[in-house]
């Protein structure tokens, strides 16, 4: 868990540094999206469409994966260290 959190903090700091450098150079979010031929509204519409497509599939998979994980966790022998 500690490695996961420190990894997230490193990613956040690297993103902050990269974003600050890009803002200093004069690159904005709108100019980056325009490079790909998109507007902010089109981008968020695509994000929402992806979420609407993925969420029912994630929930359906969780109906199988979570009970199997729980049974495996409960039936696994203890490792007292």
């Amino acid at each position: 868990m500690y490695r996961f959190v420190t990894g997230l903090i490193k990613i956040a700091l690297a993103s902050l540094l990269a974003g600050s450098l890009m803002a200093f150079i004069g690159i904005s979010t709108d100019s980056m999206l325009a490079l790909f031929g998109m507007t902010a509204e089109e981008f968020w519409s695509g994000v929402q469409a992806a979420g609407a497509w993925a969420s029912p599939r994630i929930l359906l998979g969780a109906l199988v994966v979570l009970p199997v994980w729980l049974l495996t966790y409960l039936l696994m022998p203890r490792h007292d260290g």
Side-chain angles (χ1 to χ4, degrees), residues 65-79:
V65 171
L66 288 178
V68 169
W69 171 82
L70 182 62
L71 280 173
T72 304
Y73 181 78
L74 292 173
L75 297 176
M76 195 173 10
R78 290 185 176 237
H79 297 284

Side-chain angles (χ1 to χ4, degrees), residues 15-31:
S15 298
L16 178 63
L17 181 63
S20 298
L21 179 64
M22 291 171 66
F24 180 75
I25 294 172
I27 299 173
S28 68
T29 307
D30 292 334
S31 65

Side-chain angles (χ1 to χ4, degrees), residues 48-61:
Q48 289 175 342
W53 176 85
S55 58
R57 288 158 179 82
I58 291 171
L59 291 173
L60 183 61

Side-chain angles (χ1 to χ4, degrees), residues 6 12 17 22 30 40 43-47 54 59 64:
T6 56
L17 181 63
M22 291 171 66
D30 292 334
F43 175 78
W44 286 117
S45 175
V47 169
L59 291 173
V64 173

